[in-house]
Each structure stands twice: as structure tokens, then as C-alpha cells.
Amino acid sequence: LDPLINLTRKENGNKDLTDFANHVTAGLSHTPKKLSSRYFYDGPGSALFQQIMELPEYYPTRCEYEVITENKSAIAAHLASEGFFHLIDLGAGDALKTKILLKELQERRAAFEYLPVDISEDAMQQLSSSLEKEIPGLNHQAVVGDYNDSLEWLQQNKSGRKVILFLGSNIGNFEHEESLGFLRKIRSHLEPGDSLLMGIDLRKDPDTILRAYNDFAGVTAAFNLNLLHRINRELGGNFDVNGFIHYPIYNPQEGVMRSYLVSKQEQDVYIQATGRSFHFNAWEAIHTESSYKYTLPQIQAMVEASGFTLETIFQDKEGCFADVIFHA
Ligand code: AVI
């Protein structure tokens, strides 16, 4: 097995760069301005996200770690109930939490192949080598690509029972309609008997949520501002990054954390790859990320509306985070 499959390079030419330039043109011409958080995760952005997950204020990673550690045996029993399966980890990153399950599955001598998928090539390279050291003998193949391309690739290259992991509250970064569309897409790639294990951040004290996205050390600010650095690096932009501030705000009725980059002054930014300039009024904002927080009934309704049935909900002691198993 090739330890790393890269779907972003082959026969792709500069398509990724053109997509990024088109996205930036559309988003910065839109009223109000917006850019997608999917572009946060270049090399420096993935390294910053890694630091976010270790921040004292960023509770989701610790809470989910607790859910999985405390319930690893029950979760592994569900996943490995029916013989050989492909374990597909969408947005795997460093797979810190998945590794607990991988070790548990290996101890149970479960027959499976681990397929971590991530948009970051750096992350997948590091994960492949750490798996070889930490879990020797694990059958695995990392895939570099976005969710859609990876699901297509899996459809064409891997047959048999599938278990999809979608951890870390990554679903929270989709707007509600997008999350339904995405879950339906996953469902369309599955057969009856296949499963989905999804990790979702739950609603809680708004101050706790806000602090998690506005940490004292400023790592989340650097993560958000890295998007402008990335545009400068890859698309030849001339953003004065110091002319923008990171501004997160939580809406407790919608249950959504929204992050913005706000221009401190009136300014024009030229971006070579788009062939044009973009005007910012003083205090004009770019919406860069939404992180939705769910209630348990909302999760159930959303996933059932996508053609799944609820199997089991696992939670940490404080009811901070949920990991939920669904059947196709
Ligand atoms: C990856 N995703 C679930 C994170 C979140 O909480 O929305 C990304 C993040 N943004 C700021 N901090 C963390």
C-alpha cells in the first residue's frame, strides 16, 4: 500500500490555486464580505490549529478526549461488530482522539483498515509516521484531499463495510443547510450496515464558548489572521495584516460562534492572482468562520433528516461534548 495518496496534486495542475483565487474574488466582492474557514488549513494554519487544541480555553478537544477515553470499549465494540471494515477518518488532523480507538480496536484484534483523510499534506505525513511508531502493525493509508474528492476516491477504490469518523465538531463549521447536504452526501456513499461516528460540541455557557475562540495568548487571533497571510503568500496579495483585528462573537439563540477579521482603517488591497483590488471601509468585516453548537435533539433531527438512524449518544460528565453513533 502507498502510505500516502494525494488527491490534490495528480492531474490537478493549478486547479487548487485557481479555486482559491476565485473563492477570494467572490468572497471579497460579496456584501457583506466573507471567506471560508476551509482555507485556514495550510501548513502554518494547521500548526496554529494544533496549538489551539492545547490551549487552556479550547475545551472541545479535551472534552472529546474524555468522551472517547471513557467509552473506548463500548465504541470499539459498536464499530467492530460485523467483521472487516474501512475506518475512514474525515478531517483526521493529528488523530489524537482516534488513536485511542485504534489502540482499542487493535487490542480486540478487530479486522480493519484505517484511512485518515485531511486537506493538509503536512498533517497526513506526520500522522503516517507517528502511526508507524505508536501503533506498529496498523493497516493504514492516509489520503490528502478535501471531503468531496476523498469520498469519491473511497467509492471507487474501497469496497466493503465502511465506518466514517467525523470528530472534533468539524460539522460545526458548516452552515445548517450545508451540514444537511454534507451528511446526505456521506449517506449516499454508505450501504445499510455502515456507520457514522460524529463528534459535536454542545451548547453551554456563552462565556465558556467565547473564551475558547478568543484565547488570552492570541493563538486563535493568529489562526484567523493567517488567512490574510496565506492570500499574500499564495495569491500575491498585499494585505497589511496589522490593519485587521480578530473579532469573535457568540450568538446564544442561534448557537453559533462567528469569527470576523475587521479592518481597522479604510484601505485597498491588491491581490495579484485575482487581477484586482478590493476596498475596505474603516471597521468593515470579513466573516471567516462559523462554529455551530448543537443541542442533542437538534443533532438527532439533523442526522435523521439525512437518512441515518441514531444508535448511541456518548457524552462527557459535564455534558460539554457528544460523540454519536448513527447507522446508515
Ligand atoms: C476545526 N473546527 C471544529 C474548529 C472549531 O472549533 O470550529 C476550528 C477552530 N476555529 C477556532 N478555533 C478552533
Side-chain angles (χ1 to χ4, degrees):
L1 276 186
D2 192 342
L4 200 113
I5 301 284
N6 194 332
L7 305 177
T8 65
R9 269 202 219 124
K10 278 180 213 138
E11 299 147 25
N12 203 342
N14 275 331
K15 185 176 167 299
D16 290 338
L17 219 51
T18 314
D19 285 351
F20 186 28
N22 291 341
H23 177 83
V24 169
T25 303
L28 296 185
S29 319
H30 190 266
T31 311
K33 288 182 169 56
K34 58 178 183 177
L35 292 171
S36 166
S37 60
R38 75 184 291 261
Y39 291 104
F40 281 165
Y41 303 91
D42 64 346
S46 298
L48 285 164
F49 182 56
Q50 208 55 44
Q51 286 182 41
I52 287 177
M53 290 193 290
E54 284 158 24
L55 289 170
E57 296 97 333
Y58 194 72
Y59 62 82
T61 308
R62 270 188 312 282
C63 293
E64 188 172 41
Y65 194 88
E66 179 187 329
V67 179
I68 295 190
T69 309
E70 296 296 317
N71 299 286
K72 61 183 181 183
S73 140
I75 297 173
H78 274 291
L79 304 189
S81 60
E82 285 173 54
F84 181 85
F85 62 101
H86 300 285
L87 184 63
I88 298 141
D89 193 357
L90 295 180
D94 67 356
L96 181 76
K97 292 147 286 177
T98 312
K99 283 175 180 171
I100 306 166
L101 292 177
L102 296 174
K103 287 177 188 155
E104 179 69 22
L105 286 164
Q106 218 185 29
E107 273 170 28
R108 292 169 169 259
R109 299 186 189 284
F112 71 105
E113 178 186 29
Y114 178 52
L115 299 160
V117 170
D118 205 283
I119 193 71
S120 163
E121 181 170 359
D122 291 351
M124 287 304 85
Q125 253 155 5
Q126 283 166 25
L127 178 58
S128 286
S129 48
S130 80
L131 288 172
E132 268 142 43
K133 278 184 221 117
E134 292 169 34
I135 317 183
L138 177 76
N139 184 5
H140 64 97
Q141 186 170 39
V143 180
V144 180
D146 68 16
Y147 296 142
N148 285 336
D149 291 347
S150 307
L151 286 170
E152 296 301 330
W153 180 86
L154 286 161
Q155 179 90 331
Q156 284 159 19
N157 293 278
K158 303 284 170 181
S159 59
R161 191 171 156 244
K162 295 187 177 78
V163 174
I164 308 270
L165 300 181
F166 196 42
L167 305 181
S169 205
N170 285 335
I171 190 78
N173 296 128
F174 289 117
E175 299 300 326
H176 284 311
E177 269 171 37
E178 290 172 342
S179 63
L180 267 182
F182 183 65
L183 289 168
R184 286 186 178 136
K185 175 149 209 139
I186 293 183
R187 177 64 189 83
S188 74
H189 287 272
L190 300 180
E191 303 291 335
D194 292 348
S195 326
L196 167 69
L197 169 60
M198 188 161 73
I200 311 175
D201 195 14
L202 300 173
R203 295 211 186 175
K204 59 183 62 62
D205 183 342
D207 283 333
T208 306
I209 297 178
L210 186 57
R211 271 196 299 273
Y213 293 82
N214 203 15
D215 65 279
F216 185 71
V219 182
T220 311
F223 176 65
N224 194 5
L225 288 161
N226 175 57
L227 189 51
L228 304 185
H229 283 298
R230 181 175 184 181
I231 294 173
N232 287 351
R233 280 191 296 266
E234 293 183 18
L235 303 179
N238 70 352
F239 271 106
D240 167 16
V241 178
N242 293 323
F244 288 82
I245 51 169
H246 164 64
Y247 187 77
I249 184 162
Y250 181 67
N251 180 324
Q253 284 190 317
E254 291 178 79
V256 62
M257 182 70 228
R258 290 198 179 93
S259 294
Y260 300 89
L261 289 167
V262 182
S263 174
K264 293 196 277 185
Q265 67 252 345
E266 184 174 10
Q267 52 183 316
D268 288 288
V269 176
Y270 179 71
I271 303 173
Q272 210 172 17
T274 68
R276 49 168 290 189
S277 314
F278 299 90
H279 183 74
F280 289 82
N281 292 320
W283 308 115
E284 186 175 355
I286 316 170
H287 172 227
T288 53
E289 186 179 49
S290 297
S291 299
Y292 282 86
K293 311 302 172 187
Y294 283 86
T295 63
L296 292 173
Q298 258 186 323
I299 297 171
Q300 184 166 0
M302 167 174 74
V303 186
E304 290 188 345
S306 325
F308 289 91
T309 37
L310 176 68
E311 168 69 36
T312 315
I313 301 177
F314 299 98
Q315 275 182 267
D316 58 310
K317 272 185 238 74
E318 290 185 3
C320 163
F321 201 96
D323 282 276
V324 191
I325 297 184
F326 297 92
H327 283 321

